[in-house]
Amino acid sequence: MDRFRFTQVCQIKEREGIQIHTPPTVRIVHSGHACNVEEERHAERVYTIREGETLELTCLVTGHPRPQIRWTKTAGSVSDRFQDSSVFNETLHITKIQRHQGGRYYCKAENGLGSPAIKSIRVDVYFLDDPVVTVHQSVGEAKEQFYYERTVFLRCMANSNPPVRYSWHRGRDVLSQGSDKGVEIYEPFFTQGETKILKLKNLRPQDYANYSCIASVRNVCGISDRNIVFKLTNKTVSPSIKLLVEDPIVVNPGQTVSLVCITTGGEPKPTLSWVSSSDSLPEKSVVKGGTLTLPAITSDEAGVYSCVATNNVGNPAKKSTTIVVRAMKKGRFWITPDPYHNDDNIQIGREVKISCQVEATPPEELTFGWLKNGRALRSSERMVITQTDPDTSPGTTNLDIIDLKFTDFGTYTCVAALKGGGIPEISIDVNISSTTVPPNLTVPRGKSPLVVREGDTVELECLVSGKPKPIILWSRADKEAPMPDGTLQVESYDGVLRIVNVSREMTGSYRCQTSQFNGFNVKPREAVVELIVQYPPTVEPVSLEMRQGLGRPVAMNCRVLRAHPSRVLRYEWRLGNRLLHAGHFDQSDETEYTVKSLNREGWGEYTCDIINEAGAGRCTFLVTGKAYPPEFYYDTYSPLWQNRPRVYGFKLQWTQMNPNAVDRIVAYRLGIRQMGQQRWWEQEITVEGTITKGELITHNLTELIKPEAYEVRLTPITRFGEGDSTIRIITYSAPVNPHLREFHCSFEEEPICMFTQDKNDDFDWTRHSAATRDTKYTPNTGPSGDRSGSKQGFYMYIETSRPRKEGEVARLVSPFFNVAPKNPYGITNPPAYCFSFFFHMYGKHIGTLNALLRQKGQAATEGPTWSLSGNQGDHWKQAKVSIHPTASFQVVLEGIRGPGIEGDIAIDDVTLEEGECRDLPAVSEYRNTVIKGHFCGILHTESQFGVCPIL
């Protein structure tokens, strides 16, 4: 857009006394690849689409302020949740829709006025999977040779929507109920529509044949039939398999394990697969045929592995084996003093028991050995070595020293190993001496209570004495709550519990307690540490914008929600870095600061810091005179007009949000740029007087170039400066309610100028642009842009790909146009109108494009009044015809599908003007044109007729 044109854009401004605030209304329109849309079926709309196609639903709303739009979904035939739970956008777009995405979709619009407006549409996703045939025989007749028995059942199943219809064939012959006494076809009572069973009674030689099951959904949405063939012979038998491995298989970590499964029977040949008890095979596993290989196996990959064989005959065969990976971990010991004496100390002449425990896999391979001072120790009368019952304490060995002597002091070593080898041994040393004493537990002075600040790293400490020093267990003492790491207990080998980034929720009592492990098996010693976490005040509001005009008061309030310590010391109010007011709290939990009369220096960021020993909480108030954004009015009646061929105008309307909250709005800065361009053109629009809330403001934009779209930005201006901006998009289309004097429609907007689809035809015209049109079915037909050559521009066309058939019809019907008589006794001299449109008929299968006239109160025309057939080349061409209606009328454009898929017909720029047609196209441009009735047009050249005569 150049400067001259922009100066023409902003030439008119109106103020209307209308107060515009209206609650929302909503309706749903559809595009995308719908097979069928039933607008009203039992008061619900049903949108049918084929799986894998694109779903596109648009929510058209009215209401002011502009309503917020939200799409949500309920569960469909398969229970699921909307992936995004909701979509805040006018258009819901799902590419390659899947069956689980079917269901009811709701569009909700709300703008704070009245109740939200809600409309819904049910999306039905159609699909058909390949059928599966399974073969069974009746229970009680099974023998080793499965199919030498008399009765065989062939069950056919296929997942589908809508419900599938099944048919059976034997060879080329169709099987139906009653056609063969040896055949019965039925549906089980509890699975109506889900399956069709073929029962072969008293099996005969002719029953050994190829059986075909055909699943069909009657070609809805162009979904073709699916079929499967099963060959029934006297050798047909269910699968049987054999595993060429032991059970269980015990291996060392790092080994490669191969499991081999072979089929020993089955016709047809069974398919082998492997599954594991963990639901999925390890990522690095390799399956080749019936062999499963697990390289460098780990303990996590141990478990049950099953080989499954299926051939859809009888039940699948399954054989399993267990893989056990050797492992040892967690070596621990404990010392138990003589249980017959009430004394926790070790004393000469009394019994002492040393216990050693190891977790081992497999437990039956675990062996223990004992050493004293590095020499092997064998069980004797005074040194008794036992192994605890695995059911009560698995993996445990005991060394009982009877009648402890001075010579028994020394280092005892428990050595754990696995019989299979390959795993390092675990050695545990225990020292028995005169210094071996039970533990004692204390809290260091000054370590309880422990006061810290939120976010610090803190160490809770318990001092443990004794020899050996046991493991310390930390837990919450004041309540049943997990520790900071999420567990109920935390082990510590040095008695210290370290907490990083401590939070206020961690305040409380913590218990440290001795464990029996690596120490004495005596009554636990324990102590308690109190932790107090201080944190700065939590305040509200954390951040708040306050808009106010000059000379008005501004009151700001900052409130304490919680703090520890709760004794708040002081508060400080500041504007920027300047201290305004400070003080101390008494009994109140809030403080207020008021600006009695706002001036220019009073605009800015105010802060209130409320301070305790742990820090400060801050309330922030941004005081500004910035105006709120304007709210564009989207429901303007017929906002677009055209007074010249290449340009159009637009009636831009808006209201001002909260106009009295700040100083009077003195102007608006209007910016406009063509879509796809970088540069904004701006102009200021002066405002006289005061704008009231809800007042509708109008500004006309002119000299906008067809069919370009524009981005418009509107910014209010006060004494403070610029306020918040609002942006909207203006797109070109013909006026929705045109005056008959000049009607023009280029289909740029979804309402398509009040054109409607005929309800009695076979399929619909489709609105599309070259930029979005899917050409996967028709690569050699249809236009590459709209009539002006723009790939962004829209047009209407008939899609002739499947499931369309030759001869099917699509009709597009114009709105009614009134013809008022000039005298009260009717029309004696009917007025003339020139009806013109551009068409594109390119492709070797082009059918026919007809134009018809429908007049109110008159019978429909028997045939087309204008008709053009066949390939007209890859060009847009214009048709012009003069009509002379005698009553209110509609114009109908009818497309008829040709013999193949390369037959798309498109139309654009439909015009109806008063007066006879002029500048008629040359007849040589077209072929196969028929002129009848009230139309004259492209057969007539200007040199022949000048204007179209009245017929």
Side-chain angles (χ1 to χ4, degrees):
M1 179 184 294
D2 56 31
R3 287 185 179 273
F4 172 76
R5 280 190 171 145
F6 184 75
T7 60
Q8 297 298 311
V9 167
C10 303
Q11 62 184 7
I12 303 173
K13 178 180 176 294
E14 299 178 24
R15 292 273 296 281
E16 302 183 9
I18 305 172
Q19 299 295 310
I20 300 293
H21 279 109
T22 54
T25 66
V26 62
R27 66 188 180 96
I28 298 174
V29 298
H30 51 80
S31 53
H33 299 153
C35 304
N36 184 41
V37 179
E38 297 184 37
E39 296 296 340
E40 295 292 338
R41 188 178 78 177
H42 306 298
E44 74 171 352
R45 303 176 70 198
V46 181
Y47 181 106
T48 305
I49 188 170
R50 180 174 176 173
E51 187 173 52
E53 299 288 3
T54 298
L55 169 72
E56 190 168 287
L57 301 174
T58 300
C59 203
L60 299 182
V61 299
T62 64
H64 188 75
R66 183 69 168 171
Q68 294 288 322
I69 300 173
R70 180 183 182 188
W71 281 98
T72 57
K73 176 182 180 293
T74 59
S77 55
V78 177
S79 179
D80 73 322
R81 292 185 177 181
F82 204 2
Q83 289 181 351
D84 296 327
S85 73
S86 59
V87 173
F88 292 90
N89 200 349
E90 292 184 2
T91 301
L92 174 66
H93 187 91
I94 302 177
T95 56
K96 296 183 179 179
I97 191 169
Q98 299 301 306
R99 61 194 66 178
H100 70 272
Q101 293 174 306
R104 181 170 295 281
Y105 287 82
Y106 291 86
C107 174
K108 179 180 180 181
E110 53 186 338
N111 64 355
L113 299 176
S115 301
I118 301 175
K119 290 290 184 181
S120 68
I121 187 169
R122 184 161 66 83
V123 176
D124 210 359
V125 182
Y126 278 8
F127 61 91
L128 175 61
D129 292 342
D130 290 328
V132 176
V133 171
T134 57
V135 185
H136 301 271
Q137 70 175 13
S138 57
V139 177
E141 298 181 5
K143 294 183 180 179
E144 290 185 3
Q145 294 299 321
F146 190 84
Y147 286 98
Y148 290 154
E149 298 303 318
R150 290 173 174 259
T151 303
V152 171
F153 300 88
L154 281 73
R155 180 192 297 266
C156 185
M157 292 187 66
N159 296 320
S160 74
N161 183 35
V164 69
R165 290 182 182 176
Y166 299 95
S167 58
W168 282 98
H169 291 68
R170 180 165 55 202
R172 296 184 178 180
D173 299 330
V174 178
L175 295 176
S176 59
Q177 186 65 28
S179 63
D180 187 331
K181 292 183 179 180
V183 174
E184 182 179 340
I185 301 174
Y186 66 96
E187 295 181 359
F189 178 75
F190 292 107
T191 58
Q192 287 292 322
E194 295 180 7
T195 183
K196 182 82 75 171
I197 293 180
L198 178 67
K199 181 179 180 181
L200 304 177
K201 302 179 294 184
N202 300 318
L203 205 63
R204 304 159 299 180
Q206 62 265 36
D207 292 329
Y208 296 118
N210 289 333
Y211 290 86
S212 300
C213 173
I214 300 174
S216 174
V217 290
R218 285 79 65 198
N219 203 39
V220 296
C221 284
I223 300 176
S224 58
D225 296 348
R226 306 276 201 274
N227 74 291
I228 188 172
V229 178
F230 184 87
K231 184 177 183 180
L232 181 66
T233 70
N234 59 0
K235 296 182 179 179
T236 301
V237 68
S238 58
S240 59
I241 57 175
K242 182 179 180 181
L243 284 182
L244 303 182
V245 293
E246 298 177 354
D247 183 30
I249 304 173
V250 181
V251 297
N252 292 327
Q255 283 186 239
T256 295
V257 180
S258 293
L259 307 179
V260 180
C261 177
I262 61 172
T263 58
T264 57
E267 179 66 34
K269 185 178 180 180
T271 300
L272 297 177
S273 62
W274 282 93
V275 296
S276 75
S277 55
S278 61
D279 296 331
S280 60
L281 296 175
E283 291 185 5
K284 60 186 178 182
S285 62
V286 179
V287 178
K288 187 175 182 180
T291 301
L292 169 64
T293 302
L294 303 173
I297 196 167
T298 65
S299 296
D300 293 337
E301 295 167 347
V304 178
Y305 289 79
S306 302
C307 175
V308 181
T310 58
N311 66 351
N312 292 340
V313 179
N315 295 320
K318 183 177 181 180
K319 295 285 185 180
S320 302
T321 187
T322 301
I323 297 179
V324 179
V325 181
R326 292 187 178 92
M328 286 195 302
K329 59 182 179 179
K330 286 191 176 179
R332 291 175 168 176
F333 73 91
W334 59 92
I335 302 169
T336 306
D338 192 338
Y340 300 105
H341 295 83
N342 190 20
D343 190 349
D344 291 344
N345 291 291
I346 296 175
Q347 296 186 20
I348 299 294
R350 293 183 182 178
E351 180 181 339
V352 175
K353 180 162 68 175
I354 305 172
S355 301
C356 176
Q357 185 181 64
V358 173
E359 293 183 14
T361 304
E364 61 270 15
E365 288 192 3
L366 179 62
T367 62
F368 287 104
W370 284 92
L371 305 175
K372 179 185 177 184
N373 298 328
R375 294 185 177 182
L377 190 66
R378 294 185 179 181
S379 185
S380 63
E381 290 184 359
R382 220 170 50 79
M383 297 278 186
V384 181
I385 298 174
T386 59
Q387 194 149 332
T388 306
D389 186 346
D391 293 333
T392 59
S393 182
T396 304
T397 181
N398 304 302
L399 172 62
D400 278 292
I401 305 175
I402 311 298
D403 187 17
L404 182 68
K405 300 181 182 299
F406 182 80
T407 55
D408 295 329
F409 289 167
T411 299
Y412 292 84
T413 304
C414 164
V415 181
L418 292 178
K419 294 178 182 178
I423 303 297
E425 297 178 339
I426 292 180
S427 297
I428 304 170
D429 293 334
V430 184
N431 186 265
I432 301 295
S433 69
S434 58
T435 59
T436 303
V437 294
N440 190 28
L441 205 59
T442 58
V443 177
R445 180 176 297 180
K447 291 294 187 177
S448 180
L450 194 61
V451 180
V452 296
R453 292 189 178 182
E454 191 171 41
D456 289 349
T457 295
V458 60
E459 290 186 347
L460 280 60
E461 186 177 356
C462 281
L463 292 179
V464 59
S465 61
K467 186 179 179 182
K469 290 184 178 181
I471 296 172
I472 302 301
L473 302 178
W474 284 94
S475 60
R476 293 294 293 259
D478 53 347
K479 55 185 176 181
E480 288 291 333
M483 297 291 285
D485 66 351
T487 62
L488 291 177
Q489 277 190 339
V490 175
E491 291 185 355
S492 170
Y493 287 86
D494 59 1
V496 174
L497 174 65
R498 191 169 188 266
I499 304 174
V500 179
N501 194 21
V502 67
S503 65
R504 63 192 67 178
E505 294 80 11
M506 298 176 187
T507 295
S509 302
Y510 289 80
R511 178 188 297 110
C512 59
Q513 178 179 290
T514 59
S515 163
Q516 72 173 29
F517 300 119
N518 297 0
F520 274 71
N521 183 21
V522 295
K523 183 180 179 180
R525 276 58 166 169
E526 63 180 48
V528 174
V529 178
E530 293 290 337
L531 176 63
I532 300 173
V533 180
Q534 294 183 341
Y535 52 89
T538 300
V539 297
E540 70 171 6
V542 175
S543 179
L544 180 65
E545 183 182 40
M546 305 183 72
R547 304 193 187 203
Q548 188 60 278
L550 293 174
R552 303 178 190 176
V554 179
M556 293 162 278
N557 183 281
C558 185
R559 187 162 69 94
V560 180
L561 298 178
R562 52 191 171 272
H564 191 82
S566 58
R567 177 172 53 88
V568 176
L569 297 179
R570 65 187 187 277
Y571 57 83
E572 295 177 353
W573 284 94
R574 296 177 184 272
L575 173 58
N577 295 321
R578 180 163 58 94
L579 181 64
L580 301 174
H581 181 54
H584 292 77
F585 280 91
D586 295 323
Q587 301 299 321
S588 176
D589 61 354
E590 61 184 32
T591 174
E592 184 174 281
Y593 182 78
T594 301
V595 178
K596 294 181 180 180
S597 179
L598 187 65
N599 55 31
R600 291 183 179 274
E601 290 72 26
W603 283 322
E605 184 176 89
Y606 291 76
T607 58
C608 175
D609 290 332
I610 299 180
I611 307 161
N612 69 356
E613 295 176 10
R618 171 171 287 187
C619 296
T620 301
F621 303 89
L622 179 61
V623 178
T624 174
K626 180 187 289 187
Y628 286 95
E631 297 175 313
F632 282 117
Y633 185 61
Y634 286 82
D635 302 330
T636 304
Y637 181 78
S638 189
L640 189 145
W641 75 92
Q642 327 174 61
N643 48 18
R644 295 210 304 279
R646 294 287 299 167
V647 298
Y648 68 99
F650 191 87
K651 187 176 183 179
L652 187 70
Q653 293 185 304
W654 70 91
T655 62
Q656 177 61 43
M657 180 190 293
N658 300 332
N660 300 322
V662 295
D663 291 322
R664 184 180 72 84
I665 294 171
V666 297
Y668 284 96
R669 177 166 287 112
L670 176 69
I672 186 168
R673 68 178 177 185
Q674 188 174 314
M675 294 296 290
Q677 302 294 321
Q678 297 296 319
R679 186 175 182 182
W680 287 90
W681 295 93
E682 292 186 334
Q683 180 167 328
E684 221 170 80
I685 305 170
T686 303
V687 175
E688 300 294 339
T690 301
I691 298 173
T692 59
K693 185 174 183 180
E695 180 181 352
L696 189 62
I697 304 170
T698 301
H699 195 90
N700 290 333
L701 306 178
T702 62
E703 300 295 321
L704 304 177
I705 301 172
K706 297 180 184 178
E708 302 299 337
Y710 293 86
E711 192 173 4
V712 176
R713 181 176 65 200
L714 198 60
T715 308
I717 302 173
T718 64
R719 286 190 291 175
F720 173 83
E722 291 191 357
D724 293 335
S725 299
T726 302
I727 292 178
R728 71 163 294 181
I729 305 298
I730 292 174
T731 56
Y732 170 76
S733 70
V736 176
N737 294 303
H739 191 277
L740 184 55
R741 191 174 298 274
E742 181 186 353
F743 170 81
H744 177 261
C745 184
S746 59
F747 308 109
E748 295 301 323
E749 289 189 353
E750 180 61 38
I752 58 174
C753 317
M754 297 180 66
F755 273 87
T756 57
Q757 308 281 357
D758 193 340
K759 295 186 180 297
N760 297 317
D761 57 6
D762 301 308
F763 65 108
D764 288 345
W765 287 79
T766 302
R767 174 179 171 269
H768 259 304
S769 69
T772 59
R773 183 179 174 205
D774 184 355
T775 59
K776 65 181 181 180
Y777 299 120
T778 52
N780 298 310
T781 186
S784 58
D786 72 352
R787 196 275 303 177
S788 67
S790 170
K791 293 191 179 295
Q792 305 299 324
F794 283 82
Y795 53 86
M796 301 294 290
Y797 84 109
I798 59 170
E799 173 59 69
T800 56
S801 303
R802 292 194 315 172
R804 302 279 70 85
K805 297 178 181 178
E806 184 174 5
E808 290 188 336
V809 176
R811 298 188 188 96
L812 192 66
V813 183
S814 76
F816 266 104
F817 297 101
N818 295 321
V819 179
K822 295 182 180 179
N823 64 72
Y825 303 103
I827 298 176
T828 56
N829 185 21
Y833 295 97
C834 181
F835 175 60
S836 67
F837 58 92
F838 284 83
F839 60 88
H840 189 282
M841 300 172 66
Y842 168 59
K844 63 182 180 182
H845 300 137
I846 290 292
T848 300
L849 176 63
N850 297 324
L852 304 95
L853 178 67
R854 289 182 182 175
Q855 298 196 65
K856 194 171 184 178
Q858 300 183 20
T861 308
E862 292 183 359
T865 53
W866 178 91
S867 181
L868 181 62
S869 302
N871 186 0
Q872 303 297 321
D874 190 10
H875 304 286
W876 283 98
K877 299 179 181 180
Q878 187 180 27
K880 284 188 177 183
V881 293
S882 290
I883 58 174
H884 303 83
T886 59
S888 296
F889 66 95
Q890 294 172 292
V891 179
V892 181
L893 290 165
E894 179 183 74
I896 302 177
R897 203 257 197 190
I901 64 173
E902 295 181 20
D904 293 355
I905 298 174
I907 59 172
D908 199 2
D909 285 349
V910 178
T911 302
L912 188 64
E913 298 174 316
E914 286 188 349
E916 301 283 353
C917 292
R918 302 185 182 276
D919 301 323
L920 300 175
V923 68
S924 59
E925 293 185 19
Y926 310 103
R927 305 186 298 273
N928 305 326
T929 307
V930 177
I931 304 298
K932 298 182 180 179
H934 296 288
F935 282 76
C936 72
I938 57 176
L939 281 183
H940 302 78
T941 64
E942 187 175 4
S943 59
Q944 292 173 312
F945 297 97
V947 296
C948 183
I950 299 174
L951 300 179

